[in-house]
Amino acid sequence: MTAPERQVDLFVIGAGSGGVRAARIAAGYGARVVVAEEYRVGGTCVIRGCVPKKLLVYAARFREAFEDAVGFGWSATAPTFEWADLIANKDREIARLEAAYMTTLGKAGVEIVKSRAVLEDAKTVRLEATGERIRAEHILIATGATPHLGPAIPGIEHVISSNEALHLDTLPARVLVQGGSYIAVEFASIFAGLGSQVTLVYRGDNILRGFDDDVRQHLRVELEKRGIHVITGNTVAAVEPCGRHFTAHLSGSMQVAADAVMFAIGRPPAVRGLGLESVGVRLAPNGGIAVDEYSQTSVPGIWAVGDVTNRINLTPVAIREGHAFADTVFGGKPTRVDHRCVPTAVFSEPEVGTVGLSEAQAIAEIGDVDVYKTSFRPMKATLSGRDTTVLLKLLVDAATGRVVGCHIVGEGAGEMIQLVGIAVRMGATKADFDATMAVHPTASEELVTMRQPTLRHRRKAAE
């Protein structure tokens, strides 16, 4: 084996959210850092995830905005939409962001290499693009996750993932989306908002598995109000090309005609081909790289953060984990990331915002739980005439009064839950919410004006 050509303090595999943050902070502590990225700097979130998706979400909301404006006295020529313009503008913004990321890393003294990197041993990586071998005191794996289309079915070659959906040449008139979590309901909302006829197929009994049941049902009703056909208890068994179109054959014997078939059924950790097995890096039962509370793998000196660990697969979590890793290893400040009470949003239409426990989780973990819940027509809809309702829900530990969960479905839910997340994380009680003055007229004021529980759960007395 030839000797490595050079040595660094930190070698990062993957220039996504977690890897970039770790590299920049480590360099700030004086470490010599190299980052290898085989695709584009910025990772899933910036290049083909959160950012481009949210830009499409904004675009999809204008149709309802134009319609709602009529109720407020506005009249104008019927607007038209150009998919090609949206995608071109989105691509320009993504290119700008990628350049900004590269500039920031460069200013921090981080070297970027465009290559796939493979582990050769616990201290050595090989760059596939050049064959160069680099020795590193610490290696951080931050390769994220990748779309998975599931088991092979007839016609699977015609199916696209969210990656391809962001680069379609034209807007499909009819779209079938399979899946029921974040990406599936978000893209279903995007396509529907832009004018496509959308069918959403999910194998379970209802969408957004793992979310609060009231949230799941409320969002499903709202999606259906917006014309999305939601089919549960089914999977796509085959995709049959019919000229330039497709017929999706479902497991329940139904058939759906579509111009595009998109699967959003999961994103497994990107662990293949990294050489993990050869150096003894252990995987967790969920397929992610197993790590301890400091993101250390089973091999000393090899670390992992972000979606590749399959802990909580959210961009802010990856960023926090990357920062904590750099503080721990290079900053002399051992830092553990608290994965409890992580607020999150689903940018469907309407939005979902949630933090803390669902009702089912609260009952299982606490037992005595008070539920405060309200659903109402938002003020904006009184003049627009739109058939939509907002859901706000608080879950309270009956013994301590502490708010252990908050769930919102409605316009601005993502913005609201970020702020509510601070209160829940700090252990705010229902009395703290009640003592907070309402901001009127807003939908969120209901969070501090709900006085009586709508439901009380109590443990059964022991016999």
Side-chain angles (χ1 to χ4, degrees):
M1 182 179 290
T2 58
E5 298 178 20
R6 55 186 168 132
Q7 183 163 338
V8 297
D9 299 309
L10 172 62
F11 192 99
V12 181
I13 305 177
S17 298
V20 166
R21 176 58 65 90
R24 184 170 62 82
I25 300 303
Y29 286 127
R32 295 167 297 169
V33 184
V34 173
V35 176
E37 173 56 57
E38 61 181 310
Y39 182 52
R40 297 177 66 180
V41 174
T44 295
C45 179
V46 173
I47 305 301
R48 51 194 175 193
C50 320
V51 174
K53 173 204 69 184
K54 187 70 181 289
L55 294 176
L56 267 61
V57 166
Y58 286 133
R61 289 175 177 170
F62 279 103
R63 187 173 68 134
E64 283 195 358
F66 290 134
E67 294 170 352
D68 291 349
V70 175
F72 293 88
W74 289 88
S75 60
T77 305
T80 59
F81 170 70
E82 293 294 338
W83 171 265
D85 291 345
L86 170 62
I87 298 304
N89 292 339
K90 177 265 297 179
D91 288 344
R92 279 193 293 272
E93 174 60 10
I94 299 310
R96 184 192 69 80
L97 287 173
E98 181 184 18
Y101 267 64
M102 294 179 69
T103 298
T104 298
L105 287 173
K107 288 181 178 179
V110 176
E111 179 185 349
I112 305 169
V113 292
K114 292 296 188 73
S115 174
R116 182 174 182 80
V118 178
L119 296 169
E120 289 207 338
D121 60 44
K123 297 290 185 182
T124 309
V125 294
R126 175 173 50 83
L127 302 178
E128 289 195 341
T130 63
E132 180 185 8
R133 297 171 62 252
I134 300 175
R135 188 168 179 81
E137 188 65 26
H138 297 277
I139 298 171
L140 177 67
I141 302 170
T143 49
T146 187
H148 176 58
L149 298 183
I153 60 171
I156 191 71
E157 67 273 14
H158 303 298
V159 174
I160 65 172
S161 71
S162 57
N163 288 355
E164 294 77 34
L166 291 167
H167 297 282
L168 292 171
D169 292 332
T170 59
L171 176 67
R174 300 166 300 175
V175 182
L176 182 148
V177 179
Q178 178 171 235
S181 196
Y182 289 83
I183 297 173
V185 298
E186 288 171 341
F187 271 90
S189 296
I190 288 168
F191 283 124
L194 295 176
S196 300
Q197 177 184 322
V198 178
T199 301
L200 181 62
V201 177
Y202 179 55
R203 65 180 180 177
D205 63 343
N206 207 352
I207 57 174
L208 290 185
R209 181 172 63 89
F211 283 71
D212 186 90
D213 285 339
D214 283 326
V215 169
R216 301 172 72 191
Q217 184 57 29
H218 192 96
L219 181 64
R220 178 173 182 166
V221 170
E222 289 292 326
L223 294 179
E224 290 172 337
K225 286 179 182 178
R226 286 162 171 78
I228 297 174
H229 184 200
V230 180
I231 302 174
T232 52
N234 272 261
T235 58
V236 177
V239 178
E240 178 187 0
C242 302
R244 299 176 62 184
H245 313 291
F246 305 99
T247 297
H249 299 268
L250 306 189
S251 57
S253 300
M254 287 181 284
Q255 296 182 4
V256 178
D259 301 292
V261 178
M262 172 184 159
F263 283 10
I265 58 176
R267 296 178 61 88
V271 296
R272 291 185 178 180
L274 296 175
L276 301 179
E277 304 86 353
S278 64
V279 299
V281 173
R282 186 173 62 85
L283 298 184
N286 64 12
I289 294 177
V291 293
D292 65 13
E293 56 191 351
Y294 293 100
S295 295
Q296 168 79 63
T297 73
S298 56
V299 178
I302 299 180
W303 312 73
V305 298
D307 291 4
V308 76
T309 67
N310 214 5
R311 288 178 281 184
I312 298 179
N313 298 345
L314 297 170
T315 295
V317 175
I319 293 171
R320 182 66 61 86
E321 290 171 356
H323 200 131
F325 155 79
D327 285 344
T328 297
V329 176
F330 297 101
K333 299 181 291 186
T335 304
R336 292 175 293 203
V337 175
D338 187 350
H339 291 92
R340 298 170 300 171
C341 286
V342 175
T344 185
V346 182
F347 294 105
S348 49
E349 187 55 42
E351 284 183 6
V352 173
T354 181
V355 64
L357 304 177
S358 68
E359 185 173 342
Q361 290 169 335
I363 294 170
E365 294 185 22
I366 299 170
D368 294 349
V369 178
D370 291 337
V371 180
Y372 295 79
K373 181 174 64 175
T374 184
S375 181
F376 54 92
R377 192 180 192 190
M379 187 177 189
K380 182 179 178 181
T382 60
L383 294 190
S384 72
R386 185 164 303 282
D387 179 15
T388 186
T389 56
V390 172
L391 171 70
L392 294 144
K393 181 174 182 178
L394 294 176
L395 299 166
V396 178
D397 182 334
T400 65
R402 186 169 59 91
V403 177
V404 296
C406 177
H407 308 278
I408 305 170
V409 183
E411 184 177 357
E415 301 291 345
M416 283 188 263
I417 209 65
Q418 177 67 85
L419 301 179
V420 176
I422 299 172
V424 174
R425 176 70 177 77
M426 293 177 67
T429 64
K430 183 62 170 61
D432 292 323
F433 275 61
D434 294 343
T436 302
M437 200 71 72
V439 177
H440 181 75
T442 65
S444 58
E445 69 180 291
E446 296 289 334
L447 292 171
V448 299
T449 59
M450 291 186 286
R451 290 293 185 263
Q452 296 299 318
T454 54
L455 186 62
R456 288 186 169 97
H457 297 284
R458 296 293 183 266
R459 295 185 183 92
K460 291 183 180 180
E463 296 181 359

